[in-house]
Amino acid sequence: MTGRLLETAPGPGFADPVADSQRAFRAMLEAIARPGTVQAIGAELTPPAPLSRAAAAALLTLVDFETPLWLDAAARQPAVEAWVRFHCGVPLVDDPAAARFALVADPMGSLLPLDRFPIGEDAFPDRSATVIVAAAGLKSGSGWRLSGPGIEGEARLEAGGLPLGFAAAWQANRGLFPCGIDLFLTADDRVAALPRTVRLED
Amino acid sequence: MSSKEPPVDPEMAARQRWMALLARASAERLEAGLAALGEPPRYDLLRRPETGMVMVRGRSGGTGPRFNLGEMTVTRCVVRLADGTMGHGYVAGRDRRHAELAALFDALLQQPEARPTILDAVIDPVAADLAAAERTVREKAAATKVRFFTMVRGE
Amino acid sequence: MYVAVKGGEAAIANAERLLAETRRGDPAVPEISTAQIEQQLGLAVDRVMTEGSLYDRELAALALKQACGDQLEAVFLLRAFRTTLPRFGASQPIDTGRMQVARRISATFKDLPGGQILGPSFDYTHRLLDFSLLAAGETPGGPRGESDPEPMPHVLAMLDREGLIESEIEDSPDAPVPDITREPTTYPADRAARLQTLARGDEGFLLALGYSVQRGYGRNHPFAGEIRFGTVEVEFVPEELGFPVSIGDVAVTECEMINQFKGSATEPPQFTRGYGLAFGHCERKTMAMALVDRALRARELGEEIDSPAQDEEFVLAHSDNVEASGFVQHLKLPHYVDFQSELVLVRELRRRAAAAPGRRETALAGDE
């Protein structure tokens, strides 16, 4: 058995793991409970590139040794690997179908098809993946039209840098209910969510 | 006190040995060992002491497929010395200071110039005490070992 | 008519304070320390750790102190505490073959490598109350023998080498291990899920089931192949290090039962196994666990299932004393509304029955 001795120390995680992860969790909870809103995570973090502060905070908060993580090619940097292994204790998997969480740093190249991620099963729809996506920017009030649970009437959300055909792929994902993936969109220190229940139109 | 598959790397085997002994030494003892080193080493906490659990696994029949027996409390800590050397402490129980000291000694022991002194002053005495405690357990066991006599039955 | 009521806060607060006073007992008697419980009521601590599913002697002693010695309440406290801790991962499987043995006996072989070690045992005591313990005083030190480094291989391995007993072969290290604390048990259950459930199951319940097996309810002819108690090393592989780190030692008791099996169309007759493993010194518990483990293997061994101990869902669903105690004891909570509706129903049925005496039975049956 060979060790995974680190050459250099991974960058720091949360300054205050308990309070910071609770704050981040609260922001993500707000985001997924009210799709279309954009929440600030409020974490002082200097994660390794290409992780944004919000994506890094999401990993620190949600991921642990029981939730295998898939990193897309753009995120699979040695510094990122060492950082998530150290701070989250998470096993990294090569096959997105084996992941419970996925980090997509290059959505144009590796977000689609969505069905590469596990969608759960009818008896256990929670056995699905949560996908954390690096968006080029997040803005509410314009862009996609969202409706569904947690939204009174209609909400608007704009996320930059997503591939063509994402809206159609999302509609297919929504059709799988109660199965399907959930998605967090991250940019800088901000996060928005698309739970599997949300309807999305261009 | 070694892994079932012996590691190939002697450096890692040495590290596994001292980590095992650091986990079994008391915090007071490590504290005294640290004080005896003189000038206290400077270090950062890369991971502050944190208490959690490890699920202990057994094997059915002792050798068969694994199953979850139950958890144990474990405290861990990671320190970084001024030169960047990282030390890891993983110790059974809930003593945060113990985990921090174990991590600090793990880092110090990775430094070739400090190692012989610390092995001598801290690690080897712990090993000797553990060996003595194990001998006592064997002596207690030996006192209750059954010696059977075969009775000759009448013809 | 039902009116929502609130109240009882003052009574509840006082009940809690009164409990604290009762727990302390007569202040003229010195207070017991958790260290004393840990050291002098060690077997109570062991049971609480095993059924509380958390190895931490000090916490188990604290739970016992807080629970005034009520073991099930202490188990509940420990279970509640463990939910507040993060889990770092799972250990490498412990190797009971390399146990530092304090006790080791076999009821099947007189002479065995390493010998029969009685250790500290009640087995040969006369069960006469020892009045010398009423008087305070130190007991003299225990006996010591000549330290003997002879290895103590598992007894059943000797049978295994001859092919006389089914083999226990390691699973793939990558195979998932079911965890009933994370995923609800589904039936039929994996043996690994069964063993985890039994390990934290109530000793009294398992003891009764094991007894029932011996008395003929799912008889499987058990022999105590080996019982050993001692400490084993726990190794853990931190994700960031990637090699096993020895984090400490835990005391465990292991019981291996040897049971008869008459063979099948595909397998020649050989002995089969029942397995028990628990934290601390819990001999009765591990023996009962091994009996019930073997009984629950009836399906895979093609045996008829006609006894309670062989009924997987019955055994696994009712073995947890925190669940059982919670559901039984919840009956103490206010059921004012439920009971009012029953009361109204029974009054109405009686009224109808009185009005038409000849249709009494039908009315009762129909409204049930």
Side-chain angles (χ1 to χ4, degrees):
Chain A
M1 190 178 285
T2 54
R4 204 177 282 124
L5 291 170
L6 301 172
E7 294 295 316
T8 51
F14 282 136
D16 181 346
V18 174
D20 289 347
S21 63
Q22 285 180 352
R23 198 176 306 120
F25 186 81
R26 182 74 218 176
M28 285 184 279
L29 195 63
E30 280 294 318
I32 204 162
R34 300 180 215 294
T37 66
V38 178
Q39 308 286 335
I41 271 189
E44 294 300 323
L45 272 171
T46 44
L51 299 185
S52 67
R53 280 181 290 159
L59 290 175
L60 291 174
T61 305
L62 300 178
V63 169
D64 69 12
F65 75 98
E66 285 178 310
T67 55
L69 174 68
W70 178 77
L71 300 173
D72 72 352
R76 193 127 199 191
Q77 308 293 333
V80 174
E81 288 188 18
W83 188 86
V84 294
R85 276 205 173 100
F86 180 79
H87 290 292
C88 307
V90 66
L92 298 175
V93 291
D94 296 325
D95 178 7
R100 295 300 292 273
F101 280 86
L103 181 84
V104 175
D106 170 27
M108 286 292 189
S110 53
L111 181 56
L112 299 182
L114 289 180
D115 61 11
R116 56 173 35 192
F117 305 110
I119 58 164
E121 38 197 291
D122 283 340
F124 297 97
D126 56 307
R127 294 179 186 170
S128 56
T130 300
V131 182
I132 299 161
V133 179
L138 283 173
K139 196 170 149 210
S140 62
S142 60
W144 297 320
R145 296 174 182 282
L146 308 182
S147 58
I151 301 170
E152 191 169 5
E154 185 183 87
R156 307 287 298 268
L157 180 68
E158 199 174 324
L162 295 200
L164 274 176
F166 172 74
W170 186 259
Q171 275 313 100
N173 179 64
R174 184 178 170 274
L176 301 170
F177 189 83
C179 296
I181 64 164
D182 305 301
L183 199 141
F184 282 102
L185 297 159
T186 56
D188 303 323
D189 181 38
R190 287 144 38 92
V191 63
L194 296 177
R196 66 191 72 179
T197 49
V198 81
R199 173 193 296 275
L200 184 153
E201 289 159 291
D202 266 324
Chain B
M1 229 173 281
S2 60
S3 172
K4 229 189 306 181
E5 305 156 50
V8 210
D9 179 359
E11 188 63 15
M12 190 190 299
R15 187 168 179 204
Q16 284 178 309
R17 173 179 177 267
W18 75 57
M19 287 182 86
L21 291 164
L22 288 167
R24 287 163 177 79
S26 70
E28 295 74 37
R29 177 164 205 158
L30 297 182
E31 203 80 76
L34 187 64
L37 290 182
E39 180 74 10
R42 302 173 68 85
Y43 63 95
D44 302 324
L45 291 175
L46 212 54
R47 174 187 279 137
R48 289 190 288 182
E50 174 191 19
T51 297
M53 302 181 293
V54 163
M55 174 56 91
V56 180
R57 285 187 170 155
R59 291 188 179 282
S60 61
T63 54
R66 296 159 301 160
F67 70 96
N68 290 312
L69 173 61
E71 280 142 324
M72 65 188 286
T73 51
V74 175
T75 303
R76 66 180 178 182
C77 178
V78 181
V79 303
R80 179 171 48 185
L81 301 180
D83 72 351
T85 309
M86 284 165 64
H88 293 251
Y90 272 87
V91 304
R94 286 169 293 113
D95 188 336
R96 284 157 208 264
R97 184 64 183 159
H98 183 188
E100 184 174 338
L101 289 166
L104 176 58
F105 274 110
D106 177 48
L108 294 172
L109 282 157
Q110 290 173 61
Q111 308 205 295
E113 55 298 353
R115 187 182 300 179
T117 321
I118 300 175
L119 283 179
D120 227 39
V122 181
I123 300 300
D124 292 342
V126 171
D129 285 0
L130 282 174
E134 282 173 16
R135 195 160 52 243
T136 306
V137 172
R138 281 202 305 274
E139 286 170 359
K140 288 183 181 180
T144 60
K145 189 166 180 170
V146 179
R147 324 265 164 197
F148 286 105
F149 300 97
T150 305
M151 310 298 278
V152 180
R153 300 168 78 176
E155 298 282 307
Chain C
M1 178 174 167
Y2 172 67
V3 181
V5 287
K6 267 183 69 130
E9 285 94 340
I12 289 169
N14 281 340
E16 212 171 314
R17 287 171 54 206
L18 194 57
L19 173 64
E21 186 186 353
T22 310
R23 175 190 302 126
R24 178 59 185 86
D26 182 353
V29 176
E31 185 183 352
I32 193 169
S33 72
T34 53
Q36 287 171 324
I37 295 172
E38 210 184 309
Q39 291 296 315
Q40 298 170 37
L41 297 175
L43 298 181
V45 169
D46 288 344
R47 180 171 177 193
V48 170
M49 290 198 304
T50 286
E51 294 173 23
S53 225
L54 183 65
Y55 194 98
D56 189 310
R57 299 193 66 82
E58 187 183 50
L59 290 180
L62 172 61
L64 276 165
K65 179 174 177 176
Q66 187 178 334
C68 311
D70 180 334
Q71 296 222 314
L72 269 59
E73 186 69 26
V75 167
F76 193 171
L77 289 169
L78 207 57
R79 289 268 188 97
F81 180 79
R82 67 168 278 287
T83 65
T84 67
L85 294 177
R87 195 193 277 181
F88 298 152
S91 79
Q92 302 287 91
I94 56 173
D95 185 351
T96 52
R98 293 171 60 230
M99 180 186 285
Q100 167 98 46
V101 167
R103 170 169 164 82
R104 186 268 199 131
I105 54 167
S106 170
T108 52
F109 295 98
K110 180 166 70 69
D111 297 306
L112 62 168
Q116 307 255 7
I117 310 288
L118 301 184
S121 175
F122 293 118
D123 287 355
Y124 307 95
T125 63
H126 289 118
R127 267 73 180 211
L128 299 173
L129 276 175
D130 179 358
F131 288 93
S132 72
L133 294 175
L134 271 180
E138 292 300 313
T139 356
R144 301 286 185 273
E146 191 74 32
S147 172
D148 180 2
E150 195 183 354
M152 294 186 204
H154 278 119
V155 171
L156 272 62
M158 304 194 297
L159 288 174
D160 194 7
R161 270 196 297 277
E162 282 189 70
L164 292 170
I165 194 165
E166 55 178 343
S167 293
E168 284 279 18
I169 314 269
E170 287 186 11
D171 54 344
S172 151
D174 302 322
V177 180
D179 184 351
I180 61 158
T181 67
R182 301 288 162 127
E183 301 282 348
T185 306
T186 51
Y187 301 101
D190 222 69
R191 188 171 177 210
R194 295 199 304 249
L195 287 169
Q196 184 184 9
T197 312
L198 297 177
R200 66 205 321 252
D202 182 75
E203 177 172 327
F205 179 71
L206 298 183
L207 181 65
L209 284 174
Y211 183 39
S212 77
V213 170
Q214 286 179 276
R215 292 194 64 250
Y217 291 87
R219 184 183 292 279
N220 54 39
H221 306 276
F223 293 93
E226 182 173 356
I227 295 161
R228 55 170 66 194
F229 160 64
T231 54
V232 291
E233 175 183 26
V234 181
E235 287 185 321
F236 174 65
V237 182
E239 188 62 34
E240 71 272 18
L241 288 177
F243 62 80
V245 175
S246 177
I247 56 176
D249 304 298
V250 294
V252 295
T253 308
E254 180 185 52
C255 171
E256 292 189 89
M257 289 283 179
I258 301 173
N259 305 74
Q260 280 180 15
F261 177 58
K262 59 183 184 300
S264 66
T266 52
E267 283 172 85
Q270 61 174 183
F271 292 111
T272 55
R273 297 170 185 250
Y275 189 64
L277 185 66
F279 286 146
H281 198 177
C282 294
E283 205 157 299
R284 191 192 304 117
K285 160 69 179 263
T286 51
M287 293 182 75
M289 175 176 170
L291 289 172
V292 177
D293 169 46
R294 175 58 183 80
L296 289 176
R297 298 183 58 212
R299 181 172 31 86
E300 68 199 55
L301 294 169
E303 295 167 344
E304 209 172 317
I305 298 176
D306 52 11
S307 298
Q310 299 166 316
D311 183 333
E312 181 176 83
E313 196 163 341
F314 175 78
V315 172
L316 299 185
H318 299 110
S319 63
D320 192 283
N321 57 29
V322 177
E323 286 171 14
S325 155
F327 201 48
V328 168
Q329 294 208 72
H330 103 283
L331 292 173
K332 293 185 289 196
L333 297 174
H335 283 67
Y336 306 142
V337 185
D338 305 53
F339 187 68
Q340 280 302 319
S341 72
E342 297 279 316
L343 204 57
V344 169
L345 178 65
V346 171
R347 286 202 170 113
E348 173 62 16
L349 291 176
R350 287 176 63 88
R351 194 189 56 76
R352 278 195 232 165
R359 298 180 55 215
R360 190 179 182 136
E361 268 175 56
T362 337
L364 274 169
D367 277 289
E368 186 64 29

